[in-house]
Amino acid sequence: MRIPRRLLSVLRGEGPFLIAAHIDPDGDAIGSSLALSAALEAAGKKTFLYSRDPLPKYFAFLPGRKKFTARLREIVEEDPVLVLLDCNSPERAGIEGRRFRKAVVIDHHETAKEFGDVRWVDHTAAATGILVYRLVKALGGRITPEIATNLYTAISVDTGTFRYSNTSADVLRVSAELVDAGAEPNRIADHLYETWEYKRFRLLVAALNTIEVRDGVAVIHITKKMFRDTGTSAEDTEYFSNYPRMIGSIRIAVLLRELEQRGWKASLRSKGAVNVARIAERFGGGGHRNAAGFKTTSDLKTIKDTLFQAGRRSRR
Amino acid sequence: MRIPRRLLSVLRGEGPFLIAAHIDPDGDAIGSSLALSAALEAAGKKTFLYSRDPLPKYFAFLPGRKKFTARLREIVEEDPVLVLLDCNSPERAGIEGRRFRKAVVIDHHETAKEFGDVRWVDHTAAATGILVYRLVKALGGRITPEIATNLYTAISVDTGTFRYSNTSADVLRVSAELVDAGAEPNRIADHLYETWEYKRFRLLVAALNTIEVRDGVAVIHITKKMFRDTGTSAEDTEYFSNYPRMIGSIRIAVLLRELEQRGWKASLRSKGAVNVARIAERFGGGGHRNAAGFKTTSDLKTIKDTLFQAGRRSRR
């Protein structure tokens, strides 16, 4: 958790700073980036915020979000210091092939990458937002309501609003200080969890209707027709694979989504000790112990049978 | 938030203590009662735990839960001091018509009742669990892992695990201390949210299939046949009315449940400024601004039309 001294001196040094979130940015990447940008600007530095991909619409409430741009060229011309947030290689941020006079990495993902002149990678941190909180304090900055809202959102997203196993006393204590500084827990939770479009809700219900449960495995699926009927797309399915986890007997929850071209994409989530990465590997995919995925051109029945079989085996 | 001195002296005085939760006990009532009992017993006092109704099964993980009994007579014969927790009248605990040598009330509900020799009713507290936490500390007791788990659960249930508007910096700080003392956020959240029976999940999906959305109002309903088909009962519908709230455009979410005899029971939940108690009153029911209910013998179509009409009116 110790902040590298060189990190502080780089951030106290000459800007501008290009703060880059990873591709397909999540709440931790976006909130951490906005918070660091606000803190550096309050200290008189110039910052740019880069996201290759558009921000998901449910983060539209985050203060400062309009500072994000996907245009890199003009920024690079200003010779900025690169700050990678919530990722640790230029490829993950979608900015490979550029040269920067200095590059900084602030991340909490486990990694073998060695990119960056200064690296602060702490995989014991629940969120990059926690690291940025420490950083802003160490830089002597004030936690403004804008910074507090962004960091509280970052932490909320990466801890499932204090439900995942990375929720520590420290996480709760930092969050308490962010509330003191102006973050509003109820407003943020409403934005994160209660702003679904009706069509997305209808897609969820359609998916839940397909549920099949066997041997501790729950599988739901979404066909191309279901997307068409509800006017939704793949990005609307985020977090869907969490729903079957509500069932106590389920150890593996799977969402199968029919691909535009051919075949299916599977998202696997497990509870407890079951390692879904190993199941995904059998299909040529991969991931983490509790969250993994794969793509396959097998038919629905074959995929499901294989998953149920994996469930039986994982029980032993 | 100031603890009455007399409360401390009664609890330091002679037992035994009869700690009573309210009827249909929730996580705050159960967790607070178990925590206070453990703390008093650690101080050498004898305690009894009373709940008229059985504990909901998803609280079966709470340490000490087997101390709860529904048999009152044997306890009363020991001439205990009554401690009402998370409620403020003997009626709410289902123990009316008994006399006690002393009665104590510890609660956070707003109330006009004046029962009790010593009352600590603080409606600014997010949960009775917060009050019991202060109390145990003031009594000089150690927060054991057992007490921590019970109080963290109490606070989780009453704040929607830190999502409702009563989630303050103080709530997060107390929760952090409970984690330090042995409460496990992830394990508790799993018990609260991921232990559904499959039949209950199927009932939820069946209910969500009935959704009708109009004028900011979402209505779902459950018929007697749906209960029969899934082998479920009314107690399985708890929290169902929260699901339609996920939809951003919804300001009023309603669950209609067909009654065994005749008619329907409605549970209304609102977001923001909409007052559903006023809508419930029109049907002879009542409740709070954001959570209310009523029973009616009207038919489904009439009820829904009236609710949509109320939605249109509340928009103005």
Side-chain angles (χ1 to χ4, degrees):
Chain A
M1 240 339 178
R2 197 85 175 254
I3 307 175
R5 274 163 178 272
R6 282 185 58 216
L7 176 57
L8 295 173
S9 70
V10 169
L11 294 178
R12 281 189 183 117
E14 211 182 330
F17 297 92
L18 163 55
I19 300 170
H22 54 73
I23 54 183
D24 283 331
D26 62 4
D28 190 20
I30 299 166
S32 297
S33 298
L34 288 170
L36 183 59
S37 165
L40 291 175
E41 302 228 323
K45 315 285 177 187
K46 188 171 182 183
T47 69
F48 301 99
L49 281 163
Y50 174 75
S51 171
R52 192 198 70 177
D53 298 327
L55 311 193
K57 48 200 163 205
Y58 33 90
F59 295 121
F61 73 100
L62 288 179
R65 73 201 170 278
K66 291 200 172 143
K67 291 195 265 177
F68 268 104
T69 172
R71 272 173 303 181
L72 200 55
R73 191 181 308 172
E74 297 89 322
I75 302 171
V76 172
E77 279 168 8
E78 300 219 22
D79 192 25
V81 172
L82 174 66
V83 183
L84 287 182
L85 270 191
D86 201 38
C87 63
N88 49 66
S89 73
E91 293 76 24
R92 273 292 290 147
I95 49 172
E96 56 270 38
R98 306 268 182 181
R99 289 191 59 83
F100 296 92
R101 72 181 145 102
K102 208 165 264 171
V104 167
V105 169
I106 304 169
D107 189 21
H108 71 130
H109 291 95
E110 287 189 63
T111 172
K113 297 276 166 49
E114 279 306 328
F115 174 83
D117 302 299
V118 185
R119 299 165 52 77
W120 187 27
V121 180
D122 182 348
H123 68 261
T124 68
T128 297
I130 298 272
L131 301 178
V132 172
Y133 172 79
R134 306 265 179 238
L135 201 51
V136 174
K137 300 277 276 191
L139 288 167
R142 189 172 81 87
I143 306 286
T144 61
E146 173 179 353
I147 293 174
T149 298
N150 279 303
L151 292 180
Y152 192 97
T153 303
I155 296 167
S156 293
V157 167
D158 264 26
T159 64
T161 311
F162 314 116
R163 292 187 186 185
Y164 300 160
S165 57
N166 56 4
T167 305
S168 62
D170 190 53
V171 163
L172 291 164
R173 222 163 257 134
V174 168
S175 301
E177 288 178 41
L178 294 171
V179 173
D180 279 334
E184 297 169 81
N186 178 236
R187 201 174 71 84
I188 291 169
D190 277 359
H191 278 293
L192 292 180
Y193 306 113
E194 303 200 335
T195 56
W196 288 40
E197 286 179 281
Y198 182 39
K199 62 183 184 180
R200 186 181 177 203
F201 185 85
R202 289 200 302 133
L203 181 70
L204 173 66
V205 176
L208 295 181
N209 275 318
T210 70
I211 194 165
E212 284 183 63
V213 169
R214 213 181 299 166
D215 295 312
V217 181
V219 184
I220 58 176
H221 71 261
I222 301 176
T223 61
K224 285 190 277 190
K225 183 174 185 313
M226 286 154 70
F227 281 122
R228 269 198 312 274
D229 288 350
T230 50
T232 52
S233 61
E235 71 158 340
D236 290 301
T237 65
E238 191 150 7
Y239 306 122
F240 277 21
S241 48
N242 281 327
Y243 284 87
R245 288 183 42 143
M246 288 157 56
I247 305 165
S249 61
I250 293 305
R251 288 162 300 121
I252 303 173
V254 184
L255 167 69
L256 297 173
R257 166 165 73 73
E258 193 175 12
L259 296 170
E260 203 45 60
Q261 298 304 321
R262 193 183 156 226
W264 297 82
K265 183 174 188 305
S267 307
L268 291 79
R269 298 288 179 274
S270 70
K271 281 191 218 172
V274 180
N275 188 339
V276 283
R278 241 188 273 158
I279 299 171
E281 281 160 17
R282 236 176 285 161
F283 285 92
H288 305 279
R289 169 177 285 274
N290 294 117
F294 62 83
K295 286 183 188 180
T296 174
T297 52
S298 295
D299 65 294
L300 201 53
K301 190 179 173 316
T302 309
I303 307 169
K304 287 190 180 178
D305 285 346
T306 313
L307 290 167
F308 292 136
Q309 206 176 42
R312 272 195 298 285
R313 241 180 270 160
S314 77
R315 185 173 281 176
R316 276 177 235 143
Chain B
M1 237 341 176
R2 198 82 174 253
I3 306 174
R5 273 162 178 275
R6 282 185 57 218
L7 177 57
L8 294 174
S9 69
V10 170
L11 294 178
R12 281 191 183 115
E14 212 182 330
F17 296 92
L18 163 56
I19 300 169
H22 55 73
I23 55 182
D24 284 332
D26 62 4
D28 191 19
I30 298 166
S32 297
S33 298
L34 288 169
L36 183 59
S37 165
L40 291 175
E41 302 227 322
K45 315 285 176 189
K46 189 172 181 184
T47 68
F48 301 100
L49 280 164
Y50 174 76
S51 171
R52 193 198 71 178
D53 298 327
L55 311 192
K57 48 199 164 207
Y58 32 90
F59 295 122
F61 72 101
L62 288 179
R65 72 201 170 277
K66 291 200 172 142
K67 292 195 265 176
F68 269 103
T69 173
R71 273 172 303 184
L72 201 55
R73 192 179 309 170
E74 296 90 320
I75 302 171
V76 173
E77 278 167 8
E78 300 217 24
D79 193 24
V81 172
L82 174 67
V83 183
L84 287 181
L85 271 191
D86 201 38
C87 63
N88 50 67
S89 73
E91 294 77 23
R92 272 293 288 148
I95 47 172
E96 55 271 37
R98 308 267 181 180
R99 288 191 59 82
F100 296 91
R101 71 180 146 102
K102 208 165 264 171
V104 168
V105 168
I106 303 170
D107 189 21
H108 72 129
H109 291 96
E110 286 188 64
T111 172
K113 297 276 165 45
E114 281 305 327
F115 174 82
D117 303 298
V118 185
R119 299 166 51 77
W120 188 27
V121 180
D122 182 348
H123 69 261
T124 69
T128 296
I130 297 274
L131 302 178
V132 172
Y133 172 79
R134 305 263 179 239
L135 201 50
V136 174
K137 301 277 277 190
L139 289 167
R142 189 172 81 87
I143 306 286
T144 61
E146 174 179 352
I147 292 174
T149 298
N150 278 304
L151 291 180
Y152 192 96
T153 303
I155 295 167
S156 292
V157 166
D158 265 26
T159 63
T161 311
F162 314 118
R163 292 187 186 185
Y164 300 160
S165 57
N166 57 3
T167 305
S168 61
D170 190 52
V171 163
L172 291 165
R173 223 164 256 133
V174 168
S175 301
E177 288 178 41
L178 295 171
V179 173
D180 279 335
E184 298 170 80
N186 178 234
R187 200 175 71 83
I188 291 169
D190 277 359
H191 277 293
L192 292 179
Y193 306 113
E194 303 200 334
T195 56
W196 286 39
E197 287 180 280
Y198 182 37
K199 62 183 184 181
R200 185 181 178 206
F201 185 85
R202 290 199 301 133
L203 181 71
L204 173 66
V205 176
L208 295 181
N209 276 322
T210 69
I211 193 165
E212 283 183 63
V213 169
R214 212 180 301 166
D215 296 311
V217 181
V219 184
I220 59 176
H221 71 262
I222 302 176
T223 62
K224 285 191 276 191
K225 183 174 185 312
M226 287 155 69
F227 281 122
R228 270 199 311 274
D229 289 350
T230 51
T232 52
S233 60
E235 71 157 339
D236 290 302
T237 66
E238 190 150 6
Y239 306 123
F240 276 22
S241 49
N242 281 328
Y243 284 87
R245 287 183 42 143
M246 289 158 55
I247 305 164
S249 61
I250 294 304
R251 289 163 298 122
I252 303 174
V254 184
L255 167 68
L256 297 173
R257 165 165 74 73
E258 194 176 9
L259 296 170
E260 203 45 59
Q261 299 303 322
R262 190 180 160 231
W264 296 83
K265 183 174 187 306
S267 307
L268 291 79
R269 298 289 178 276
S270 70
K271 282 192 218 169
V274 180
N275 189 338
V276 283
R278 240 187 274 159
I279 298 171
E281 280 160 16
R282 237 175 285 160
F283 286 92
H288 304 280
R289 168 178 285 274
N290 293 118
F294 63 84
K295 286 182 187 179
T296 172
T297 52
S298 294
D299 65 293
L300 202 53
K301 191 181 173 313
T302 309
I303 307 170
K304 289 190 179 178
D305 285 346
T306 313
L307 290 167
F308 292 136
Q309 204 175 45
R312 271 194 299 284
R313 242 180 269 158
S314 76
R315 184 173 282 177
R316 275 175 235 143

